[in-house]
Amino acid sequence: MNNFIIYQIKDLQDQCIKDLVEKENFSPDLIEIEYYLNLRYHGTDTGIMCSPHIYRASPNDLKYTDFLTSFLNRYRTEYGFVLNRDVYVDDIRVRGIGKTMLKDQNLARVSCRKEGKLEAIDSKDVYFDNHGFIKTRLYRFEDVLIKDTVYGPAIIIDKNSTILIEPDCLAHLNDRGDLVIEVLLETTEHHLPTSTQLDITQLSIFSHRFMSIAEQMGRILQRTSVSTNIKERLDFSCAMFDSNGGLVANAPHIPVHLGAMQEAVKYQIAFSKENPIKNGDVILSNHPACGGSHLPDLTVITPVFYENSDKPVFFVANRGHHADIGGLTPGSMPPTSTKLWQEGAAFKSLKIVQNNVFNEKEIVEGFNAPARFPNCSGSRNLSDNLSDLKAQIAANKRGIDLITQLIDEYGLKVVLSYMGYIQHTAEISVRSLMKNLCSRCDFEKDDLSCFKAQESMDDGSNIDLTVEIDKKTGSAIFDFSGTSYQVNGNLNAPKAISSSAIIYCIRCMLDYDIPLNQGCLEPIKIKIPEESLLSPSEDAAVVGGNVTTSQRIVDLILKVFKICAASQGCMNNITFGNDKGGYYETVGGGAGAGPGWNGRHGVHTHMTNTRITDVEILENRYPIQLNKFSIRENSGGLGTYNGGNGLVREYIFREKLKLCVLTERRVFHPYGMAGGQPGSRGRNTLIRKNGKHLNLGSKSEIEVDSGDLFRLETPGGGGFGTKKELQENTFDEFLNIQVIQSGSLNQYSYNQQSV
């Protein structure tokens, strides 16, 4: 170890010993010293506090103390790989512990009972999982002697605590008066299912276990990331997939990611026939032709091998939005892009970790590649890209650990069986839903119930949808024939986006509490014309398709089934920055009303589910002052149930920047339904510091100066039902109902807020 570090450690050690001797009256020979170094790789932001590989080393052995091995082991455990670069010491911690001699002495206990058999003071019926109600004896702690053995189930009551001895456990006192509980090993696994036959209770348990894995992946990703986009706005999604790439379970993250991610996993599985995926590999992909949504959404995919399996038994993946990956403009969301290469770095299939080694050179080259193209730059914030990729890898590592634990607990055959049952249950639920929707059809053709609707984009492009449902089987065809050709802009949406929109809408319409998974799409066939707005060519620009067209597809699906009025139909994408980096955010609006509910005000709707960045963080990290953030009054459509109001958000720029606005619903109103009025259109206005007002339209890229103000007014949601019906019905008690926030989604939201 470096002599300077040894000197610093010894100096801190002397201070610890001095304080414990002079202030606490400990003898020097009863003081134990522990050493810690806060270590990190050069070029990274996250340090790890490490003790020596030999946990407690003598001060005389400091020169040979091995902190590096401890750091490498911790880093590999956390992230799944190690780096080939220097390790820096950020700070040093020395802990002095004063010991007493009590640990070597048997403590005398004052017991109320001197002799005789231990007697219970009472017994109660207590419920235990896997056992039901069992008669349980109650004892006083002061009655228990060292020679006594207490068999579970039992409850031991002390003045300050209550100790539960579960069934198949026993307790006894040691010489120091501590109560020791032993678990009988031969009965610890009796509750585990050994049969692959369907059990309804176990089906629910596995459904929640699978979702919990994805949720915990998300917690790790949020905790270990560094960018505002992932850590604060939560613009990411995590999920697990079967060996064929089908979605098994996901956390309630971003809907536009979840249906599309399985297409990315399936592409990598097909590609692996030429380039096999091995244990220790991690794959990066974001290309729209490979299941990507748009280039800033980077997908990290990791195979899950179990024991000696020769191919993956599962896959885990996450998709996170990176604020800048190069391209024409800071933030990599250019509103005027016409080609894919203008939107930043593109990865079809890159092994960012191979044989547990992080391939930083290839990754950096990929992020710098856009600089080869005219007027484009490589990533403007490479350090954030690398840090967030490592966080994404770490999230997958957590998912692998949890899946492995699940298989260890239940066995591979049982886990795979229940995965199949969950997907099959989703399929049955969707077929039932489709049959129930037949009563809403526009016309019938033989045994088919047919639906038809159209939506128009602000540029005049149209999206057409015809749905045909087989009334007997519940199978459905979603046919987008008639949709406009791909555009010479970036509203083109990859095929995976349509899959995401369909699976999201189906899940919203289901009354059953089932996880979103591949089974939801089994009864569905999707037809999309090639080189159309919803299936563009490989080199077409798509950055706006993910964030605007996706919302309009959802509006169209809900419209074709006559479910509810349109929500804002946009994510209101705002990006600004310069050569030093960029910031990107999406802003909420009004939600559409439906039969029995008013639309919510100022919320993210449908395909997005991100948070808004806290104003303190926004103003501290970026040259921006937030002048106003409020509800846009009277922007929701009126009806029996009113649409939600949009938002007003005003930014004052504090230095010269490039502002990019990528929005929709600035030309066409969000539709109302069943006689409800449409919601108000959005509006984008730039107010120069000299007072000049500019209408920026739906999509714009413009230079702004210090003192300029940008006002974003987001659309409102459509209303449902006519106003006359409101006066005639008797829904007053429904409208005044107090909704209690509860359930798994509310708990998940609480957990995210508390990180």
Side-chain angles (χ1 to χ4, degrees):
M1 191 192 300
N2 182 283
N3 286 332
F4 175 76
I5 296 176
I6 293 175
Y7 173 80
Q8 296 295 327
I9 290 176
K10 288 186 174 181
D11 183 55
L12 291 172
Q13 172 186 296
D14 292 342
Q15 292 181 41
C16 286
I17 294 174
K18 181 180 179 182
D19 285 349
L20 286 171
V21 170
E22 295 180 358
K23 297 179 181 180
E24 304 294 339
N25 296 318
F26 282 98
S27 172
D29 59 339
L30 295 179
I31 296 175
E32 193 171 90
I33 302 296
E34 295 178 355
Y35 311 102
Y36 300 91
L37 298 184
N38 194 20
L39 304 175
R40 63 176 176 86
Y41 278 117
H42 173 57
T44 65
D45 299 314
T46 305
I48 299 177
M49 190 66 70
C50 299
S51 58
H53 187 52
I54 303 174
Y55 185 66
R56 290 183 176 88
S58 164
N60 298 326
D61 297 331
L62 277 176
K63 187 174 182 180
Y64 305 101
T65 300
D66 185 5
F67 285 91
L68 181 60
T69 299
S70 178
F71 170 75
L72 295 177
N73 290 339
R74 289 276 306 279
Y75 198 92
R76 186 181 289 108
T77 300
E78 182 80 12
Y79 294 97
F81 61 88
V82 293
L83 303 177
N84 184 22
R85 59 170 66 179
D86 293 337
V87 177
Y88 282 18
V89 179
D90 274 347
D91 51 72
I92 302 168
R93 177 184 298 175
V94 175
R95 176 183 295 162
I97 304 170
K99 300 286 186 176
T100 68
M101 296 302 294
L102 292 178
K103 66 178 182 179
D104 298 324
Q105 300 173 2
N106 293 333
L107 301 182
R109 289 187 72 249
V110 178
S111 176
C112 296
R113 182 172 66 91
K114 301 299 182 182
E115 57 186 14
K117 183 180 178 182
L118 177 64
E119 298 289 346
I121 59 174
D122 200 355
S123 64
K124 298 288 184 182
D125 288 331
V126 178
Y127 181 85
F128 294 91
D129 286 342
N130 307 305
H131 294 277
F133 283 97
I134 302 179
K135 190 70 71 175
T136 302
R137 295 178 298 277
L138 278 66
Y139 300 93
R140 284 194 297 260
F141 184 74
E142 56 265 31
D143 290 343
V144 182
L145 300 177
I146 292 177
K147 64 181 181 179
D148 294 326
T149 300
V150 180
Y151 292 92
I155 296 175
I156 301 176
I157 303 171
D158 195 8
K159 293 178 180 179
N160 300 312
S161 62
T162 301
I163 304 166
L164 176 67
I165 315 299
E166 296 191 60
D168 308 315
C169 298
L170 60 85
H172 63 86
L173 287 175
N174 63 15
D175 292 339
R176 296 183 57 209
D178 297 324
L179 189 69
V180 179
I181 301 176
E182 297 182 12
V183 179
L184 305 181
L185 298 179
E186 62 270 19
T187 62
T188 56
E189 297 183 357
H190 74 279
H191 66 285
L192 302 182
T194 57
S195 172
T196 57
Q197 296 298 313
L198 176 61
D199 178 84
I200 299 301
T201 303
Q202 289 296 333
L203 183 68
S204 177
I205 290 173
F206 272 96
S207 175
H208 287 87
R209 287 289 294 268
F210 287 147
M211 181 177 285
S212 173
I213 290 171
E215 288 177 350
Q216 292 189 60
M217 289 171 62
R219 297 292 299 280
I220 291 293
L221 178 51
Q222 183 185 7
R223 183 171 65 83
T224 56
S225 61
V226 299
S227 70
T228 302
N229 244 29
I230 293 179
K231 198 174 195 69
E232 306 296 340
R233 291 187 56 247
L234 308 183
D235 197 347
F236 64 82
S237 295
C238 301
M240 61 180 291
F241 305 84
D242 61 30
S243 59
N244 297 315
L247 179 64
V248 173
N250 62 272
H253 292 145
I254 313 298
V256 75
H257 292 167
L258 297 169
M261 255 204 291
Q262 68 177 6
E263 300 301 323
V265 178
K266 288 178 178 178
Y267 176 89
Q268 299 304 327
I269 293 173
F271 185 76
S272 68
K273 294 176 181 178
E274 300 177 4
N275 186 17
I277 302 174
K278 300 178 181 178
N279 198 4
D281 291 349
V282 180
I283 299 168
L284 171 65
S285 179
N286 70 339
H287 201 288
C290 309
S293 43
H294 62 177
L295 294 184
D297 286 340
L298 299 185
T299 304
V300 174
I301 304 166
T302 310
V304 182
F305 289 83
Y306 184 70
E307 293 182 346
N308 297 321
S309 59
D310 57 352
K311 63 178 184 178
V313 294
F314 286 98
F315 287 87
V316 289
N318 63 76
R319 179 170 288 183
H321 187 108
H322 287 233
D324 196 294
I325 56 167
L328 282 176
T329 60
S332 304
M333 294 284 290
T336 58
S337 59
T338 58
K339 296 293 183 182
L340 187 67
W341 53 262
Q342 296 173 323
E343 298 175 350
F347 303 93
K348 283 192 171 182
S349 182
L350 175 65
K351 289 187 177 180
I352 56 174
V353 176
Q354 192 165 14
N355 195 25
N356 296 313
V357 177
F358 188 67
N359 295 326
E360 186 167 339
K361 180 181 178 182
E362 291 85 346
I363 299 169
V364 171
E365 290 174 354
F367 278 116
N368 289 332
R372 304 194 307 262
F373 299 105
N375 303 316
C376 291
S377 166
S379 174
R380 299 167 183 84
N381 201 341
L382 185 60
S383 62
D384 275 13
N385 296 133
L386 294 175
S387 295
D388 283 350
L389 279 180
K390 292 169 189 173
Q392 290 180 261
I393 295 168
N396 283 0
K397 176 66 165 55
R398 179 59 175 164
I400 292 173
D401 292 342
L402 292 171
I403 291 173
T404 302
Q405 291 174 18
L406 186 65
I407 297 174
D408 287 341
E409 187 175 347
Y410 290 94
L412 182 59
K413 288 184 178 180
V414 172
V415 173
L416 293 177
S417 295
Y418 276 93
M419 176 200 72
Y421 294 144
I422 290 170
Q423 292 177 329
H424 182 62
T425 301
E427 178 185 348
I428 294 174
S429 300
V430 172
R431 289 189 185 276
S432 176
L433 169 69
M434 291 294 123
K435 293 176 184 178
N436 292 335
L437 288 172
C438 289
S439 61
R440 300 168 177 255
C441 70
D442 297 316
F443 59 93
E444 294 187 350
K445 185 171 61 177
D446 298 328
D447 290 331
L448 301 177
S449 295
C450 303
F451 305 75
K452 193 173 181 64
Q454 183 185 78
E455 274 287 287
S456 296
M457 306 289 288
D458 281 356
D459 67 352
S461 301
N462 61 280
I463 307 174
D464 287 32
L465 174 60
T466 300
V467 179
E468 296 180 347
I469 300 176
D470 188 315
K471 290 184 285 187
K472 294 181 179 178
T473 65
S475 298
I477 298 174
F478 283 66
D479 189 351
F480 291 92
S481 296
T483 296
S484 295
Y485 296 116
Q486 71 178 53
V487 297
N488 187 38
N490 57 31
L491 295 183
N492 304 296
K495 280 185 176 180
I497 298 296
S498 297
S499 296
S500 292
I502 291 171
I503 197 172
Y504 164 77
C505 289
I506 287 173
R507 182 62 188 85
C508 288
M509 292 186 285
L510 279 171
D511 290 333
Y512 310 104
D513 184 16
I514 63 169
L516 191 73
N517 61 59
Q518 170 63 26
C520 295
L521 285 179
E522 284 300 318
I524 308 300
K525 182 178 181 181
I526 304 172
K527 291 183 178 180
I528 302 175
E530 294 296 327
E531 297 194 351
S532 68
L533 185 69
L534 306 185
S535 181
S537 57
E538 190 169 313
D539 64 343
V542 298
V543 74
N546 179 67
V547 293
T548 57
T549 310
S550 65
Q551 295 282 57
R552 305 304 296 279
I553 299 172
V554 171
D555 282 346
L556 178 59
I557 296 171
L558 297 177
K559 183 180 185 179
V560 82
F561 290 122
K562 307 173 185 63
I563 300 299
C564 62
S567 294
Q568 62 165 333
C570 179
M571 296 187 193
N572 301 296
N573 306 273
I574 307 301
T575 312
F576 53 81
N578 50 30
D579 292 339
K580 293 180 284 187
Y583 171 74
Y584 165 73
E585 72 176 12
T586 57
V587 183
W597 71 86
N598 294 311
R600 289 289 188 92
H601 304 315
V603 294
H604 273 308
T605 58
H606 298 319
M607 299 300 277
T608 181
N609 190 32
T610 59
R611 283 199 319 209
I612 197 73
T613 305
D614 292 337
V615 60
E616 295 84 1
I617 294 173
L618 180 67
E619 294 182 343
N620 183 53
R621 296 184 183 178
Y622 304 98
I624 284 290
Q625 177 186 337
L626 194 64
N627 188 59
K628 184 178 183 180
F629 189 33
S630 64
I631 297 295
R632 185 187 178 196
E633 297 294 343
N634 303 315
S635 57
L638 300 178
T640 307
Y641 299 100
N642 298 329
N645 290 325
L647 292 168
V648 179
R649 191 165 170 88
E650 293 182 351
Y651 311 77
I652 297 178
F653 303 99
R654 294 192 282 117
E655 65 179 61
K656 188 172 183 178
L657 298 167
K658 179 172 286 188
L659 170 68
C660 297
V661 179
L662 185 55
T663 58
E664 269 290 315
R665 292 289 193 196
R666 268 57 179 174
V667 176
F668 296 102
H669 294 266
Y671 62 79
M673 185 167 284
Q677 297 180 9
S680 297
R681 296 172 296 180
R683 186 162 52 223
N684 305 322
T685 307
L686 180 65
I687 305 173
R688 295 292 191 184
K689 58 183 176 182
N690 61 9
K692 183 179 179 180
H693 286 58
L694 297 175
N695 184 349
L696 300 184
S698 294
K699 296 150 190 74
S700 187
E701 175 185 329
I702 190 169
E703 299 284 344
V704 294
D705 292 317
S706 177
D708 289 348
L709 181 147
F710 171 63
R711 178 184 297 139
L712 172 70
E713 297 170 89
T714 68
F720 187 94
T722 62
K723 199 69 177 174
K724 182 180 179 182
E725 292 174 10
L726 180 62
Q727 298 168 356
E728 296 176 353
N729 65 30
T730 56
F731 288 119
D732 290 344
E733 56 214 49
F734 178 84
L735 293 173
N736 294 327
I737 192 170
Q738 296 262 336
V739 178
I740 299 173
Q741 298 289 331
S742 61
S744 60
L745 290 181
N746 182 70
Q747 182 61 40
Y748 179 77
S749 175
Y750 173 80
N751 291 339
Q752 291 293 85
Q753 296 279 353
S754 65
V755 168

